[in-house]
Amino acid sequence: MSERTPLLHYRLVSSVNESEQPSPPATEPSEQVPGSGGSPRKQRSSPQRPPQKLSVFFGVVIPTLLSMFSVVVFLRIGFVVGHAGLYQTFLMFIVAYFIISMTVLSVCAISTNGALDAGGAYYMISRALGPEFGGSIGLMFFLANVCGSALFVLGLVEAILSTFGVPEDVTVTATALQVLPSGYWWSLLYATAIALLCLFVCLIGAHIYAKATFIIFLVVIFVLLTVFISFFIVKPTVVTLPGSVVNMSGFPTTANFTGFKLETLWGNQWGGYTLDYTTGNMMTFASVFAVMFNGCTGIMAGSNMSGDLKNPSYSIPRGTITAVIFTFITYNLLSVLVACSCDRVLLQRDYSFLGDINVWHPFVIIGVYSSTLSAAMSNLIGASRILYALAKDDLFGKVFSVAKRTSRGGNPWLSVLISWFLVQLVLFSGKLNTIASIVTIFFLLVYAAVDLACLALEWASAPNFRPTFRYFTWHTCALGIIGCVVMMFLINVIYASASIAFMLLLLLLIHYLSPTSSWGYISQALIFHQVRKYLLMLDVRKDHIKFWRPQILLMVSNPRSTVGLITFINDIKKSGLYVLGHVQLGDLSTLPSDPLQSQYDSWLSLVDHLNIKAFVNLTLADSVRHGVQHLLFISGLGGMRPNTLVLGFYDDCLPRDKLIDPTLTSSESPNPFNPSQDLEEPPLFHFASLRGSSDGQDYGEFGNGKALGPQEYVAIISDAMKMLKSVVLARYFNDFERAQVTSPPSSTSGKVFVDVWPVNLLRPDSSSYVDTCSLFLLQLACILNMVRDWRKAKLRLFLCVEEGRSVRGSEEKLGQLLKELRIKAKVQTVPWDQVVALHWQRQDGWRKKQQSQPPDIDTDEDTAGAVEEENEEDYVNSFPSNATRVSDDYMSAVNRLILDQAQPPPAVRFLYLPRPPADTRRYAAYLRQLELLTQDLGPTLLIHGITPVITTDL
């Protein structure tokens, strides 16, 4: 066999990663869920863009497989086994795939947490970590893809010239196939032609690229099959070794392909590191591992196709994991076959030996050409899509604005041209082995950033971070970060340090120059958990719907009767601000000192006793209403302010003392022989007795004390809504015991249910299940279901339907909404024609009475004024008064309807709380309707949401 040079230098980067596609809008404006918080840029996306069409196989599996295989599977398997031995090869693959598997888990988690737009890893990082990290990593990602494309173009040229090029050494005789001229300018010409071919494919569009990669995939798989078959059918033979690039005299010129022999396997079990015949460098475990690791990267190729996938959240996890498992099995199986049939000398001195032992020698060369061309196209189209995503986000001002232009089909052709131009500039450098390592390091830095994004989202514990892919923890994210960083410094310490420094420089540049984005800042969610000095960094202008969480002010008149409510509200705060508020009636000007100061110890002891995470805020006021206003205005600090007010219900239920003084037991009594005992061991709780303390200052529970009437109670609700605070009314929580509710006896089937009625039952003419208040109910119910003790609870969502309406269509639409919101709930339809009939009979009778009454009769001035205010209110207020719209019979019928559906009865119910009427004279009627609605329902929350709290965006 004639002397030949290796097809590719062993350090050629094989991590062909990033092949991104055009970015059709994730959601049309008409499809936005209320309160989704989508950016204006998405809402303005053109509805004429083509739909996403690529499936799991074509859009994720094929690009990822080709990126992970590349040329390493053909040219470097023998290199790894020959130097490291079979056992160390297994160890290398296990370590390498463990590192990338941690990143794959993070990619799957982020990609299943909402609508994923085009941009792949850049989109994930920027939307999770903010514009600073996203822009800096995105630009490095773009440069890595540009250099990677140039690397593989030059690698393909080198492979072609090694077979068809005229030898530059005049002492070497050219074969009949070696007809192509060699030299720098000829190589540049060939590289330019290959780059133009890649440009042509990428300019046409994503689907041509998908078809081209599918053809290449078939070729690569066919060549792999021939390689596997050759081990079994090719007879033992002697292979002539290629000439060394370096002076290695004294080494053999031939080696044996022995076929399957036990002696060959024994000889290849352990490591035998020696000089690399292409460079003359001494190989070590670290250097061989760095080369092998290049063949395991490329895991982001599928996720970067997100812009053209039918369902990215479905396709990316399944396709990426499938490709990773397939390549892992292939690499290890090929290593075993090589170790059983090839002499170590053959593996160490001939990296292209698979072609020598193949049933037809050119098969492997075709595989090398195909995989390298696929890698070049993949990096070029990936670079163009990253540039297009950067241009759309305007992180660098007008520098990349020209790259926003797209064709009618949505292909960012100008981004493709710019990327190709930069690839062409890099091609002038000729040999790119010097920057091969830094390209791989850039890719590893991106993978580490993806792990960091997932770790930050997990640590932030935001309610809207609930990916459907749950096979990850913060431990896997941390291991992925550590593994990627270790690999970066293992490959090259200088390049790793330089790339991190470059990233930090870009991060600072974007932080000070780029405008504020609307993506949300993960830093705001993380700082929420930190101490006071970090609290100063919270900026209300950077609040985002994705990181919303309940910040609750629970008004407590006497903790003795509200222990159950206090512990339950602690479950739905979702790591948010939780404040126990108390109003004591009095005038400080008439008192010798502040009476609240001596009460804080008891309240703080209560917090410790109940094992809840809450703050305490007490105030002194002349009325309960003014006291609640004070607490709503002053509670919290910076970005940590209450957004939800929780009140006990106004009813006649007798409170029960659920708070036992821990310093006393039923068998103990004060010691008559030691009257100073109370001074030596003071009780932890100094709360007044229930129902009328001797000082007359305690106002009892809401609705039961002397100082608070129904008029003032409803006024408090109205005040909170005017201040844009959501309101929750809690009823029947006096006897609530979480341990008993979440662990029911086996006689009740052991199942726990949480019922949600997301429709305004006081407005039977309104059947909307998708408004801000309804989504607020769903969010709180979902948050409760995320708490450890409530995870086994099943959410039941009740859909009220009338005869003649499409029950199945409404149920499917609601089910689709729940799927988009990643909320698991069972939708149950409830026919309520008979209940609604009571309302319309009342309405018809009321209208007839008004029509029959002469307009000049003023015997009932109050009724006439109420009618005028009602009509005027319909125009002035977004929510008309309910007091004159429904009857007591209707409310009782609704109450019975709710009770009839509770089989088995739920642990807690979530009901829709309508806004109080504008006319204060109807407050009593409003409260009466709420009482009838919730009569005998058990623990119930009446909820009214003011602001959007839920989103489908990433």
Side-chain angles (χ1 to χ4, degrees), residues 21 53-54 57-59 62-63 66 201-202 204-219 305 374 377 381:
Q21 301 304 319
K53 295 181 180 179
L54 295 182
F57 183 72
F58 287 95
I62 291 179
L66 291 178
V201 174
C202 296
I204 294 178
H207 294 88
I208 295 298
Y209 166 78
K211 293 178 181 178
T213 54
F214 178 64
I215 296 174
I216 294 175
F217 170 77
L218 294 178
V219 173
M305 300 288 289
S374 170
M377 286 194 299
I381 200 169

Side-chain angles (χ1 to χ4, degrees), residues 714-793:
V714 180
I716 293 174
I717 300 174
S718 179
D719 292 343
M721 293 182 182
K722 291 178 182 178
M723 299 168 68
L724 298 181
K725 309 294 183 183
S726 301
V727 177
V728 178
L729 307 183
R731 190 176 189 185
Y732 296 120
F733 279 88
N734 289 338
D735 299 324
F736 182 83
E737 295 287 346
R738 183 178 64 178
Q740 297 179 3
V741 171
T742 57
S743 300
S746 57
S747 58
T748 60
S749 74
K751 295 183 178 179
V752 181
F753 295 94
V754 175
D755 289 359
V756 182
W757 295 74
V759 66
N760 186 1
L761 296 173
L762 269 66
R763 286 286 303 273
D765 54 333
S766 173
S767 59
S768 174
Y769 284 84
V770 188
D771 59 18
T772 299
C773 190
S774 299
L775 294 178
F776 192 91
L777 264 73
L778 290 175
Q779 183 75 307
L780 288 186
C782 182
I783 289 174
L784 180 64
N785 200 212
M786 296 168 73
V787 178
R788 179 184 301 174
D789 292 337
W790 291 89
R791 286 176 183 172
K792 295 182 179 179

Side-chain angles (χ1 to χ4, degrees), residues 849-897:
K849 181 178 179 180
Q850 295 299 319
Q851 293 174 0
S852 62
Q853 184 176 3
D856 55 344
I857 296 179
D858 56 356
T859 56
D860 193 351
E861 294 180 358
D862 291 342
T863 302
V867 173
E868 283 185 16
E869 289 193 23
E870 178 71 11
N871 293 336
E872 181 180 356
E873 183 183 315
D874 287 339
Y875 294 96
V876 175
N877 298 288
S878 60
F879 196 101
S881 173
N882 296 296
T884 60
R885 290 184 175 271
V886 293
S887 64
D888 290 352
D889 293 339
Y890 166 79
M891 297 309 304
S892 298
V894 172
N895 176 262
R896 291 192 299 271
L897 178 69

Side-chain angles (χ1 to χ4, degrees), residues 1-3 162-167 172-179:
M1 178 177 292
S2 63
E3 186 178 49
S162 65
T163 305
F164 302 103
V166 175
V172 179
T173 305
T175 64
L177 296 177
Q178 293 176 317
V179 294

Side-chain angles (χ1 to χ4, degrees), residues 606-622:
L606 172 70
V607 171
D608 296 336
H609 174 68
L610 298 180
N611 193 25
I612 61 175
K613 297 179 180 179
F615 297 96
V616 176
N617 209 345
L618 311 181
T619 188
L620 189 69
D622 58 349

